[in-house]
């Protein structure tokens, strides 16, 4: 879906457009940053897992990609002590995060 939409729209898609184009079965919802969904864009059809970013390596985070927190990232955060997981998430550079998707019903 993302690849087709970026190809058809010229070169980028806003987060609002992504949400509107997503199949209803995905049940996507905005849990933070609603005010920015018209001002943040994806211009790559590639996703990026956030494992390295959560470990503090920010050099390879690409702002034009959809960021994903999946089971491996969730497990990694679970190995951290009290407050460390929050600190790792809060340390992610906001200028490199256009959109973050938390998969599989993870909270």
């Amino acid at each position: 879906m993302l690849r087709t939409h970026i190809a058809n729209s010229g070169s980028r898609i806003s987060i609002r457009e992504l949400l509107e184009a997503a199949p209803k079965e995905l049940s996507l919802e905005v849990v933070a940053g609603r005010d920015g969904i018209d001002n943040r864009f994806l211009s790559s059809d590639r996703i990026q897992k956030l494992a390295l970013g959560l470990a503090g390596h920010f050099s390879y985070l690409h702002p034009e990609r959809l960021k994903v927190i999946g089971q491996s990232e969730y497990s990694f955060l679970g190995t951290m002590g009290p407050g460390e997981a929050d600190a790792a998430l809060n340390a992610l550079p906001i200028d490199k995060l256009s959109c973050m998707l938390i998969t599989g019903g993870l909270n």
Side-chain angles (χ1 to χ4, degrees), residues 15 17 51 53 57 88:
I15 304 310
E17 291 170 312
H57 298 282

Side-chain angles (χ1 to χ4, degrees), residues 12-16 33-41 98:
R12 67 183 195 169
I13 181 174
S14 72
I15 304 310
R16 178 181 303 282
R34 182 171 296 284
D35 291 342
I37 64 174
D38 292 312
N39 304 321
R40 295 284 186 158
F41 299 90
S98 294

Side-chain angles (χ1 to χ4, degrees), residues 3-89:
R3 176 173 292 150
T4 302
H5 198 83
I6 288 174
N8 291 338
S9 68
S11 64
R12 67 183 195 169
I13 181 174
S14 72
I15 304 310
R16 178 181 303 282
E17 291 170 312
L18 174 71
L19 291 167
E20 290 172 353
K24 300 282 185 245
E25 297 81 20
L26 290 179
S27 302
L28 297 180
E29 65 178 293
V30 177
V31 296
R34 182 171 296 284
D35 291 342
I37 64 174
D38 292 312
N39 304 321
R40 295 284 186 158
F41 299 90
L42 301 174
S43 59
S44 173
D45 60 355
R46 299 181 67 188
I47 65 163
Q48 184 167 31
K49 302 278 280 185
L50 272 177
L52 285 175
L54 293 172
H57 298 282
F58 308 130
S59 299
Y60 297 103
L61 292 179
H62 302 280
E64 71 278 0
R65 294 183 185 174
L66 175 70
K67 306 299 185 286
V68 177
I69 292 185
Q71 188 62 50
S72 58
E73 290 79 13
Y74 187 71
S75 294
F76 175 67
L77 291 169
T79 67
M80 297 179 171
E84 287 180 302
D86 286 343
L89 289 165

